[in-house]
Each structure stands twice: as C-alpha cells, then as structure tokens.
Amino acid sequence: DVEWTKKEINESGATMVICHHENDMQLYVDHYGDKIKFYHIAHCAEASIFKQLNTPKQYDVLLVGALGAKTMLGRHYPLRDRMANLLHKMPKKYKVGIHQRPHGRQDNAWESKQAIDFAKVINSSKICITDSGAPNSRFGKYIEVPMCGVALAGDIYDDHPKDVELLKSFLIDINMQMSDQEIIKKLVYYLEN
C-alpha cells in the first residue's frame, strides 16, 4: 500500500528506511530522492535462534505463517490459504497442524521471544509448508525453516533470481498449478522417503 507507506514514512520523520523487498524500494527512492536514505536488507534469520534443536517431532506436516491476509494484490498468501483447507485430506496416519505467528509489531522485540518460540515450533515438525505470497517474494520462512534443519515445502519465488537453483536443491516444490492430489502425493512421498 504505497500511500499508507508514504504516510507512515512522513509521519515518523524517518531519515533512513530499510526495505526487505528490493523490488519495492525503487519507487520510494524515486519519490523521496536524497531526502531519505533507503537500504535493502533481505529477509534473514538469527543463527543463534533458528537452528536445529533435536527435539521430538509433534507434526509430520505443519503449515506456518499468516492466513487469510488481503492486500492490494488480493489474497496475500494464496498457497497457504489453500493448504489450510487441504491439510485435512492428508492420510489420517499423518499428524498435521497450522501455526500462525503473532503479528510482527512487538513491544519487546529485542528479547526475541516470538522468534525463539517460532524456532521451537518449526523444530517440532518434519515438513513445514509456507509460500512466497502474491508478490512471489522470499519471505523469512524460506530461511528460518531450513536453518532449523526441517524440510521446507512451498513455491519457488522469483524476486531473487540468483536463489532459484539453490532453492530447487532443497525445496519440496508445491504450487498453485498442482492439483490437490499432486500436492498430497508429493508430501506423502517425502514423509515416506
């Protein structure tokens, strides 16, 4: 939401803005010129928090992230929303679940409590499902889940083209073009193998 973002920048009096998505940044650089400095720092994760904990697995498949969000692009997480309705079709022998993270604005963010709790949740599963959202972007979960030593299932984002080959080497590729049966079959294959 460009107008809302400009309003937030203007009202805050910011002289520096950090953008997680490089493709969003140029519009603001062009608008503000030299008045405000913009920097791109891609989504990343703290290695002392997002790590393999070797804890017992409670879930075979766990859907992680926000659900039902709508933006100017429409449904913001279309694959996640679809998977929330599809998980009940998994064979009954598999334990599946959904975990939505708390909202990003925290009064005590420096304590990293939400990140620590989320790393524990990730570690409690064999496969975590997420998606790149309507913007087809690398969100934090694409980094956090593999750092925890947990298999990641989702779609392939294209906002960082240099990442695509690396992503293909570890991602269980599920996407909106696949049928429900194809997605379930693929998840079962990786659980069994």
Side-chain angles (χ1 to χ4, degrees), residues 31 35 37 58-59 71-72 88 120 137-139 149:
H31 177 77
K35 295 176 191 169
K37 297 290 182 193
Q58 296 176 348
Y59 300 98
T71 68
M72 62 189 257
H88 76 279
K120 289 176 183 174
S137 298
R138 180 181 76 194
F139 293 132

Side-chain angles (χ1 to χ4, degrees), residues 15-61:
T15 58
M16 176 180 76
V17 175
I18 297 170
C19 301
H20 288 302
H21 302 286
E22 191 172 24
N23 56 339
D24 291 339
M25 190 170 80
Q26 193 59 49
L27 177 127
Y28 300 102
V29 169
D30 293 344
H31 177 77
Y32 287 100
D34 292 336
K35 295 176 191 169
I36 298 175
K37 297 290 182 193
F38 286 83
Y39 298 94
H40 171 243
I41 300 176
H43 279 290
C44 53
E46 172 55 48
S48 68
I49 295 172
F50 291 95
K51 60 187 177 186
Q52 196 164 358
L53 299 175
N54 298 313
T55 54
K57 303 296 184 188
Q58 296 176 348
Y59 300 98
D60 293 298
V61 179

